[in-house]
């Protein structure tokens, strides 16, 4: 049995071999194709956590073979008399508040507010991938399809051939069922039962290690060469409001969703090559160096005026750190602190600005975000960016691919989302639905410079943010993730980690 991985995956690994005859042995820990024809044995261990509570768990690997980066951690939510469902955007990753990979006492990779981090990363999964795979493995299901018009207003697709082929009125979630909708039709969609809690069972999914730790997306750990214990630590989110979402009919209730500790397990795949090859590889590579990307989080609160009197925030300048580091990119989210379990996405979103499409011409507007980045005494853009199309382009350039979301989901412009409901929430709603909930910003630092002692400054002006509360002021949390370059050295079985 063997695992085939793409040969064109980006690599950030360098080696410092202790022998000149390195070409005789293939690179066993590099993710990609091995230029040789050899047998690979896979041994799978099902590991129970060594420590487990409803807020924390820890796993420890056995130091053998080469750890496959696509090993899984299985999590299940306990059965509950109150119906809840995993958030549409992040799925079961909503349970993880922080994830850490440690070797001995050294932290190799750690991401805080991991569930919010996955809200950003999940945008870049294709529709077919989310519909056909992620729906069943992780519970992420932001896949789209056109909702076609029906001539008689019913749900049986009666109409002319032209209307059924090319008259797509709206766009909405693709849950694998036949639907039709206009902007105003209140068609109700039912979520998958395996994504919900009942009195008999709760949702159970598997998390990939390479999603939890970016280090493992680029490298595989040669555990057989390591003498220190390798552990994974997971810190769980709040059970009252951050794990699952509630249907709109039960949004005012306060159930708690606990983790079923009897189901938590790590399914670890260890790869074995012929013994002589692995021994020779260890001898020739007694000193290994891995360069990888790690993420650091900076947070601050943003005030939102009372409903009906929303106004521009004015220019907010936030220092997000990075001093003395090599930073390749950063991305930000702004999540409404008032929107959690009573929504499709929970708090794992990035809110857009308000808009008004009714009234006179002078009354109608789209909100505007004006943004820029300053580092090493220079702005990233010579002129502040206030065009949402250009901001979307910068997001695309940051990740190297287009996010699979609709225009209205990104910047709350246009009216393309369906009025169909899921669990009682309209998909077109800007608070509890999908509209304007994916307004993430990405910035790729293009000068290849080390950040000076002043750090990176983020300039933002939101004009203006909508208050989701019916009365009183509100707050939102601005999260900024910096991608830093770090180096891990494995020498004589001991691992050291430091910033590049």
């Amino acid at each position: 049995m063997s695992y085939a991985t793409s040969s064109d995956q980006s690599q950030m690994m360098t080696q410092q071999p202790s022998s000149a005859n390195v070409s005789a042995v293939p690179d066993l820990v590099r993710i990609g194709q091995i230029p040789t024809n050899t047998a690979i044995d896979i041994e799978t261990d099902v590991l129970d956590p060594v420590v487990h509570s409803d807020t924390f768990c820890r796993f420890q690997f056995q130091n053998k073979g080469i750890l496959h980066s696509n090993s899984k951690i299985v999590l299940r939510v306990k059965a509950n008399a109150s119906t809840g469902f995993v958030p549409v955007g992040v799925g079961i990753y909503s349970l993880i508040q922080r994830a850490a990979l440690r070797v001995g006492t050294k932290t190799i990779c750690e991401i805080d507010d991991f569930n919010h981090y996955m809200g950003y990363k999940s945008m870049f999964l294709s529709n077919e991938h989310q519909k056909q795979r992620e729906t069943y493995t992780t519970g992420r299901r932001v896949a789209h399809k056109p909702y076609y018009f029906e001539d008689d207003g019913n749900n049986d697709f009666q109409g002319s051939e032209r209307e059924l082929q090319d008259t797509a009125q709206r766009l909405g979630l693709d849950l694998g069922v036949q639907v039709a909708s206009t902007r105003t039709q209140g068609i109700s969609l039912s979520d998958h039962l395996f994504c919900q809690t009942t009195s008999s069972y709760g949702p159970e999914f598997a998390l990939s290690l390479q999603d939890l730790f970016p280090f493992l997306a680029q490298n595989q750990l040669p555990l057989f060469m390591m003498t220190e214990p390798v552990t994974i630590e997971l810190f769980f989110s709040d059970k009252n409001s951050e794990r699952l979402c509630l249907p709109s009919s039960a949004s005012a209730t306060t159930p708690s969703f606990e983790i079923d500790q009897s189901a938590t397990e790590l399914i670890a795949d260890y790869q074995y090559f012929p013994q002589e090859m692995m021994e020779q590889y260890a001898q020739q590579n007694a000193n290994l160096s891995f360069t990888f990307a790690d993420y650091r989080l900076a947070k601050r609160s943003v005030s939102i005026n009372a409903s009906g009197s929303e106004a521009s925030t004015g220019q907010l300048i936030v220092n997000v750190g990075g001093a003395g580091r090599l930073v390749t990119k950063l991305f930000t989210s702004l999540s409404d602190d008032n929107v959690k379990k009573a929504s499709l996405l929970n708090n794992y979103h990035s809110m857009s600005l308000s808009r008004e499409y009714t009234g006179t011409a002078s009354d109608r507007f789209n909100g505007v975000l004006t943004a820029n980045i300053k580092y090493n005494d220079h702005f990233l853009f010579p002129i502040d960016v206030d065009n949402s199309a250009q901001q979307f382009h910068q997001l695309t350039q940051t990740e190297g691919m287009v996010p699979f979301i609709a225009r209205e989901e990104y910047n709350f412009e246009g009216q393309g989302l369906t009025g169909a409901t899921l669990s009682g929430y309209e998909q077109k709603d800007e608070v509890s639905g999908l509209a304007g909930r994916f307004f993430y910003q990405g910035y790729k630092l293009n000068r290849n410079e080390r950040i000076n002692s002043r750090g990176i400054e983020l300039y933002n002006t939101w004009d203006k943010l909508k208050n989701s509360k019916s009365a009183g002021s509100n707050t939102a949390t601005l999260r900024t993730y910096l991608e830093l370059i770090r180096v891990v050295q494995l020498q004589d079985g001991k691992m050291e980690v430091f910033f590049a």
Side-chain angles (χ1 to χ4, degrees):
M1 179 178 181
S2 64
Y3 288 88
T5 55
S6 174
S7 61
D8 61 355
Q9 184 167 357
S10 60
Q11 292 296 317
M12 300 180 65
M13 183 180 71
T14 59
Q15 297 186 11
Q16 300 173 359
S18 58
S19 170
N21 186 24
V22 68
S23 61
V25 180
D27 191 349
L28 303 183
V29 298
R30 177 189 177 104
I31 292 183
Q33 294 180 346
I34 296 177
T36 185
N37 187 12
T38 185
I40 304 176
D41 293 327
I42 303 294
E43 177 182 327
T44 299
D45 287 351
V46 180
L47 307 177
D48 292 326
V50 294
V51 178
H52 201 340
S53 68
D54 195 58
T55 58
F56 173 80
C57 78
R58 178 188 293 123
F59 295 96
Q60 181 170 330
F61 292 102
Q62 300 182 49
N63 289 38
K64 61 181 183 180
I66 298 174
L67 176 67
H68 197 282
S69 294
N70 207 30
S71 300
K72 305 289 187 181
I73 294 178
V74 176
L75 296 176
R76 181 200 298 163
V77 180
K78 275 187 178 180
N80 198 306
S82 300
T83 299
F85 59 93
V86 293
V88 171
V90 299
I92 199 65
Y93 288 104
S94 63
L95 271 58
I96 310 299
Q97 192 275 328
R98 178 152 52 101
L101 173 65
R102 309 189 196 279
V103 176
T105 59
K106 297 170 285 291
T107 300
I108 304 302
C109 188
E110 183 174 22
I111 301 178
D112 203 7
D113 280 3
F114 179 81
N115 31 29
H116 290 271
Y117 164 87
M118 285 305 296
Y120 170 80
K121 289 294 184 179
S122 298
M123 287 195 305
F124 299 94
L125 296 175
S126 66
N127 281 325
E128 57 270 22
H129 191 86
Q130 294 227 29
K131 177 185 177 181
Q132 299 172 9
R133 179 179 176 86
E134 295 300 321
T135 296
Y136 306 99
T137 58
T138 65
R140 293 180 286 182
R141 50 203 187 280
V142 183
H144 301 87
K145 73 174 182 180
Y147 283 30
Y148 286 90
F149 173 74
E150 297 174 295
D151 190 53
D152 63 355
N154 297 319
N155 296 332
D156 53 7
F157 285 91
Q158 294 182 8
S160 68
E161 182 179 358
R162 182 191 65 80
E163 289 172 333
L164 295 181
Q165 289 180 349
D166 59 17
T167 310
Q169 291 281 337
R170 301 295 170 188
L171 189 72
L173 293 178
D174 185 359
L175 299 179
V177 296
Q178 176 177 286
V179 294
S181 175
T182 67
R183 182 75 177 178
T184 57
Q185 279 181 317
I187 296 174
S188 178
L189 300 180
S190 298
D191 204 355
H192 299 289
L193 290 178
F194 56 81
C195 293
Q196 307 176 40
T197 56
T198 69
S199 57
S200 303
Y201 58 83
E204 180 177 2
F205 294 100
L207 298 76
S208 174
L209 294 189
Q210 62 185 359
D211 285 340
L212 288 170
F213 307 108
F215 170 78
L216 294 179
Q218 301 160 348
N219 312 288
Q220 298 182 119
L221 281 177
L223 296 176
F224 75 102
M225 298 172 59
M226 303 170 66
T227 58
E228 299 172 294
V230 180
T231 58
I232 286 176
E233 295 182 355
L234 300 179
F235 299 80
F236 298 122
S237 56
D238 179 62
K239 64 182 179 181
N240 296 318
S241 61
E242 298 179 353
R243 291 182 180 175
L244 299 186
C245 302
L246 298 176
S248 62
S249 59
S251 59
T253 61
T254 57
S256 295
F257 296 101
E258 298 182 349
I259 293 174
D260 189 343
Q261 300 180 29
S262 65
T264 304
E265 58 189 16
L266 169 59
I267 304 174
D269 291 330
Y270 302 95
Q271 300 175 93
Y272 291 90
F273 296 86
Q275 182 175 358
E276 312 82 53
M277 181 182 294
M278 296 183 69
E279 290 177 351
Q280 190 175 1
Y281 179 83
Q283 292 173 1
Q284 294 183 354
N285 298 276
N287 183 3
L288 283 176
S289 178
F290 304 88
T291 304
F292 67 100
D294 199 9
Y295 293 88
R296 288 293 179 269
L297 171 66
K299 290 197 296 187
R300 73 156 290 172
S301 294
V302 176
S303 298
I304 304 176
N305 292 348
S307 181
S309 61
E310 295 99 333
S312 171
T313 61
Q315 188 179 71
L316 298 179
I317 304 176
V318 182
N319 192 304
V320 295
R325 309 301 184 199
L326 286 177
V327 182
T328 57
K329 67 182 180 183
L330 58 95
F331 55 89
T332 69
S333 70
L334 184 70
S335 55
D336 190 332
D337 295 336
N338 185 49
V339 178
K340 289 192 176 181
K341 59 185 178 181
S343 64
L344 292 177
L345 300 172
N346 204 295
N347 195 232
Y348 315 117
H349 63 263
S350 184
M351 62 184 295
S352 184
L353 299 102
S354 58
R355 75 180 185 192
E356 181 58 62
Y357 285 175
T358 60
T360 64
S362 60
D363 294 330
R364 296 192 290 269
F365 71 91
N366 283 111
V368 175
L369 167 64
T370 305
N372 210 336
I373 294 288
K374 187 177 183 180
Y375 69 102
N376 293 354
D377 301 321
H378 295 282
F379 284 101
L380 179 62
F381 309 110
I383 301 176
D384 293 347
V385 179
D386 59 5
N387 186 317
S388 60
Q390 186 175 352
Q391 291 163 352
F392 185 85
H393 171 75
Q394 296 299 333
L395 180 66
T396 302
Q397 293 295 106
T398 300
E399 289 298 318
M401 65 184 304
V402 177
F404 291 84
I405 54 175
R407 175 195 179 197
E408 191 176 5
E409 291 174 330
Y410 178 68
N411 59 3
F412 199 35
E413 292 183 7
Q415 292 183 323
L417 290 176
T418 176
T421 62
L422 175 62
S423 297
Y425 301 109
E426 284 191 325
Q427 298 180 42
K428 67 177 182 181
D429 189 80
E430 70 271 25
V431 174
S432 58
L434 304 176
R437 298 282 97 179
F438 295 88
F439 196 51
Y440 294 91
Q441 304 298 312
Y443 306 94
K444 185 174 183 179
L445 306 190
N446 53 18
R447 296 200 295 267
N448 196 27
E449 299 174 349
R450 186 178 298 274
I451 307 301
N452 63 17
S453 59
R454 188 171 178 176
I456 300 175
E457 293 177 335
L458 182 62
Y459 289 68
N460 281 321
T461 303
W462 289 274
D463 185 18
K464 51 192 175 177
L465 295 171
K466 181 179 176 60
N467 192 335
S468 60
K469 289 185 176 180
S470 57
S473 59
N474 192 14
T475 59
T477 300
L478 175 65
R479 292 176 173 84
T480 304
Y481 293 87
L482 277 66
E483 185 181 88
L484 310 175
I485 302 302
R486 302 187 78 194
V487 178
V488 165
Q489 285 188 339
L490 177 60
Q491 186 171 8
D492 299 326
K494 304 292 184 181
M495 186 167 278
E496 299 292 337
V497 60
F498 51 88
F499 288 99

